[in-house]
Amino acid sequence: QLLAQLLNRPVVHDFRAADLALGGQGAPLVPRADAALIGSIGGWRALLNLGGIANLTLIPPASGPDRHADVLGWDCGPANTLLDLAAEHFSGGSSHFDEGGRWALQGQVHEALVQRWLQEPFFQQSPPKSTGRELFGRPDLQRRLEELGESINPADALATLAALSAAAVAADLQRGPAVVEMLVAGGGCRNQALMQQLRSRCRGLW
C-alpha cells in the first residue's frame, strides 16, 4: 500500500497469501522465474535450490511433445535446515553450520534409517507440496537424533541427515517426468557431503 501511494501506480503484492487462498502452495512466482532465467533445453531440466528447504523446479523441453507442458515446482524436504541445527547442537552452539560439509564427510550414513524416514507422510506426498521449519525444525531434529541413538557419532548423524536431504530429492525426481539435467544452487551446494549424496542418488543429471 505504501509503494502504491508513493509511486501513484498499481502495485501487485502478497502473492503468497493470495496463492494459498486459491489452493496453491504459497510460492507461485519462483518456478516461472526459474524458467525465464534458466531457459529450456532438449529435455526436461531441473533446478534444485538448496536453501533451508530443498526446492525443485522442472522446466519443460524446448521441443517435442512436452514443450507446452506446465513448469512444475515444489518442496522436497529439508536441505540445510536440519544440518545447520545439528551442527549447532553438536558444537554446543559454537558453529551454526557444517562448513563445506567437512564434518559430515567424516561420517557413515545410516541407510536403513534414511529409508525409514522416507516413508513419512510428507515425503510420500505427491507434488505440489511445500514445507518449512514448522515441520523440519528443532523438534524434528531432536526426534531424529533420538532415533539415531544417544551415543551417535556427530559425523554419522550429519552424514545421515545429508543423505536424507538427497534421498528426498531423488525420490521426488522419480515421481515426475524424466529429467536429463539438474542445476544446483543455494548455500547447500557448498556442502560437499550433501553434493556427494546428490551425485550418488541422482545419477546422470549433471
Side-chain angles (χ1 to χ4, degrees):
Q1 188 62 36
L2 176 61
L3 280 174
Q5 290 179 359
L6 292 174
L7 298 173
N8 195 27
R9 293 288 186 275
V11 175
V12 182
H13 68 105
D14 208 1
F15 292 98
R16 181 174 180 80
D19 190 56
L20 288 170
L22 293 170
Q25 295 295 312
L29 297 183
V30 174
R32 292 191 176 277
D34 287 344
L37 293 169
I38 302 300
S40 301
I41 55 174
W44 280 89
R45 191 179 212 180
L47 177 62
L48 175 63
N49 175 40
L50 296 174
I53 299 297
N55 327 103
L56 262 178
T57 294
L58 266 56
I59 303 171
S63 58
D66 287 341
R67 67 187 183 279
H68 297 305
D70 290 335
V71 176
L72 307 174
W74 67 89
D75 291 345
C76 301
N80 296 309
T81 306
L82 296 182
L83 288 168
D84 290 350
L85 289 171
E88 183 179 338
H89 170 83
F90 287 120
S91 69
S94 63
S95 295
H96 297 293
F97 63 99
D98 178 16
E99 187 171 358
R102 287 194 286 266
W103 206 351
L105 285 170
Q106 301 171 33
Q108 298 293 318
V109 174
H110 290 238
E111 186 63 32
L113 201 47
V114 171
Q115 295 304 317
R116 194 170 91 201
W117 287 342
L118 286 178
Q119 302 308 308
E120 294 171 5
F122 179 80
F123 297 121
Q124 290 294 308
Q125 185 180 337
S126 296
K129 55 184 177 177
S130 61
T131 189
R133 285 180 178 266
E134 70 279 0
L135 183 58
F136 297 108
R138 203 174 296 277
D140 184 64
L141 171 67
Q142 208 56 48
R143 173 179 66 85
R144 296 187 196 280
L145 293 182
E146 289 171 4
E147 292 184 30
L148 282 162
E150 292 183 7
S151 60
I152 183 69
N153 181 330
D156 290 353
L158 286 162
T160 303
L161 292 171
L164 171 64
S165 296
V169 172
D172 272 3
L173 283 171
Q174 292 175 1
R175 294 190 176 99
V179 170
V180 299
E181 179 185 72
M182 183 163 71
L183 308 177
V184 184
C189 68
R190 296 175 181 164
N191 185 318
Q192 293 306 306
L194 179 52
M195 293 301 292
Q196 276 189 14
Q197 286 293 322
L198 283 166
R199 289 189 180 97
S200 173
R201 296 172 190 269
C202 307
R203 292 184 181 276
L205 298 184
W206 306 92

